[in-house]
Amino acid sequence: MPHLSTLVASAIGQKAAATILDVLDIAPPLAAETDGPVSRAVFAMALNAVLFHDIMGRVPLGAAYVTERRAAGHKVLFDHGALRTIDFGDRAPTGALPAGHLAFARILEPLGYAVADLYPLDRLKMTGRAFAHLDHPEAIPQFFVSELHVERFSPAFQVIAHAVFDSTADVLGVEAQRALAAFATEGSCDLDAARAALPQVVAAFERTHGALRLEHYKALLAESAEAAWIATEGQAFNHATDRVPDVEAVADAQKALGRPVKDAVEVSASGRVRQTAFKAQPVERTFVVDAADGAGEVTLTVPGSFHEFISRDHHVDEAGVERLDLRFDSSNAQGIFKMTRTG
């Protein structure tokens, strides 16, 4: 049995693994690895497949689109997943996690990823980093990891951010740490060790901080919709992205079905990268509130995650080689971020 199938099945079960691996367009070298240790590239692809499965379970509209594409004989070329982190400044930790993007660099770099580019998101008081895979940059999804710079907000906001995020836990256990160390030093890991590590690594892409007070949520939301989103959703995938040949055609087709697609396609400064997305899936979240006879709870509907579409053209790089343009664009990203705003 291929290592990729074995790993994904160990995390989500054989039936779900078969479904998601049938949906995704997997490069042959990643699907064919069967003997010896698990390569970092295959583990990275397994992680992405499990995270794609997770977000499809949380975004019914994205799942419906993916099902329709598969029924029409197409597969999904998973371009990138995005997640948001908190940066308190001066490399101060976020609870038990390393600061901002470093919480995920410690996972992604052993798996063969490196920061390909830095993207200022100044309108949002954030910075984005694109992590691209060194072994198969066009075939293994990138991670777009953004961090929100708390020190750029008001003093009151900073106090509340600490109250919310200082409880953030580190869920990487011994098995995950051992496997990541092996990937970092050897570029591979024993299959049994990789199977034990994968669920712990996947768990890092969840909300790992404590209960959220409604007053804290509202205070964060007043200054930053992105901070409020992290407060309810944590480090879960904010969105997953399908790489399509013609994003404008996809947008038109989804609008014709009456689906909530972004009004306009975002186009990069180069013109080679074009993006659009569904609006965020509404989700119900529970908040702690003060009551006359003690603390109580209230459930509200807030923005969850969403599904994105991207088209990438080829370009000639500095060495004169024609390659797919895997870069992002700060303006595009800030436009896409609006998909999780309320209202």
Side-chain angles (χ1 to χ4, degrees), residues 96-266:
L97 294 182
H101 76 280
L102 297 176
F104 291 93
R106 65 181 179 148
I107 295 172
L108 298 177
E109 289 174 355
L111 299 183
Y113 282 92
V115 175
D117 243 322
L118 192 70
Y119 298 93
L121 308 173
D122 293 334
R123 295 201 303 269
L124 307 177
K125 301 177 183 178
M126 301 178 78
T127 299
R129 286 173 175 79
F131 284 81
H133 205 274
L134 297 173
D135 303 335
H136 302 277
E138 294 187 12
I140 296 178
Q142 294 188 72
F143 283 80
F144 191 89
V145 182
S146 58
E147 54 186 18
L148 183 135
H149 302 296
V150 174
E151 76 276 9
R152 298 185 190 178
F153 293 87
S154 72
F157 180 99
Q158 295 178 39
V159 170
I160 292 169
H162 275 288
V164 172
F165 299 110
D166 279 356
S167 65
T168 303
D170 184 357
V171 297
L172 288 187
V174 172
E175 292 81 4
Q177 294 171 16
R178 287 175 178 168
L180 291 172
F183 284 123
T185 58
E186 305 295 332
S188 62
C189 178
D190 174 79
L191 177 58
D192 288 341
R195 291 176 62 183
L198 184 57
Q200 293 180 6
V201 175
V202 170
F205 295 82
E206 298 176 359
R207 172 178 160 178
T208 63
H209 57 269
L212 178 61
R213 299 186 66 83
L214 181 59
E215 61 184 295
H216 289 167
Y217 175 76
K218 289 183 175 179
L220 294 177
L221 182 61
E223 294 193 41
S224 170
E226 289 70 36
W229 191 94
I230 303 168
T232 63
E233 308 307 301
Q235 293 76 238
F237 260 3
N238 171 258
H239 64 264
T241 305
D242 185 6
R243 189 189 304 163
V244 298
D246 187 344
V247 74
E248 289 87 354
V250 170
D252 290 343
Q254 295 303 307
K255 287 177 182 177
L257 293 172
R259 290 174 173 168
V261 181
K262 193 176 184 301
D263 293 335
V265 170
E266 297 285 342

Side-chain angles (χ1 to χ4, degrees), residues 80 82 84 121 123-124 144 226 238-241 247 261-267 273-280 306-310 328-341:
H80 71 275
R84 301 172 176 179
L121 308 173
R123 295 201 303 269
L124 307 177
F144 191 89
E226 289 70 36
N238 171 258
H239 64 264
T241 305
V247 74
V261 181
K262 193 176 184 301
D263 293 335
V265 170
E266 297 285 342
V267 181
V273 181
R274 299 170 299 284
Q275 297 166 261
T276 194
F278 291 132
K279 294 180 180 178
F306 62 94
H307 194 75
E308 182 189 339
F309 311 93
I310 193 168
F328 294 87
D329 181 276
S330 291
S331 179
N332 278 19
Q334 291 173 109
I336 292 295
F337 270 45
K338 294 178 181 178
M339 296 297 94
T340 55
R341 299 211 165 185

Side-chain angles (χ1 to χ4, degrees), residues 264-305:
V265 170
E266 297 285 342
V267 181
S268 67
S270 69
R272 293 190 295 266
V273 181
R274 299 170 299 284
Q275 297 166 261
T276 194
F278 291 132
K279 294 180 180 178
Q281 176 73 35
V283 294
E284 291 188 345
R285 295 291 179 257
T286 300
F287 301 86
V288 176
V289 295
D290 289 327
D293 56 350
E297 293 183 342
V298 63
T299 299
L300 299 178
T301 300
V302 299
S305 299

